[in-house]
């Protein structure tokens, strides 16, 4: 089972996610960090150069692969 936290930037998803994962004995994955590591670029660079649609596609593909 996975738990996915969705919300606006700065809403506290990462902070809450770490605490929730620890409380439940689960792993925590920050998709923003995974995307940046995999693509070797900051999220803003991906959005600025490839467009928000491409970023959302990358994010969706990553989320669908986390099972």
């Amino acid at each position: 089972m996975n738990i996915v936290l969705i919300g606006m930037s700065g809403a506290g998803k990462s902070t809450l996610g770490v605490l929730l994962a620890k409380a439940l004995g689960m792993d925590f994955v920050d998709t923003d960090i995974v995307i940046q590591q995999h693509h070797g670029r900051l999220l803003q660079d991906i959005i600025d150069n490839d467009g928000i649609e491409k970023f959302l596609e990358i994010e969706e593909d990553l989320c669908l692969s986390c099972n």
Side-chain angles (χ1 to χ4, degrees):
M1 170 180 58
N2 291 323
I3 298 171
V4 179
L5 302 178
I6 301 170
M8 297 295 294
S9 178
K13 299 177 300 293
S14 294
T15 301
L16 181 62
V18 169
L19 295 172
L20 184 61
K22 185 175 180 180
L24 297 175
M26 299 175 74
D27 292 329
F28 173 76
V29 176
D30 187 325
T31 56
D32 289 350
I33 293 172
V34 174
I35 290 169
Q36 290 177 126
Q37 289 174 337
H38 185 262
H39 290 271
R41 300 189 286 165
L42 296 175
L43 297 179
Q44 193 61 54
D45 183 56
I46 295 170
I47 293 168
D48 290 346
N49 292 296
D50 301 340
I52 189 68
E53 295 82 13
K54 181 62 177 177
F55 168 73
L56 293 173
E57 179 184 317
I58 292 168
E59 186 177 52
E60 180 180 10
D61 289 345
L62 176 62
C63 288
L64 290 173
S65 72
C66 293
N67 52 24

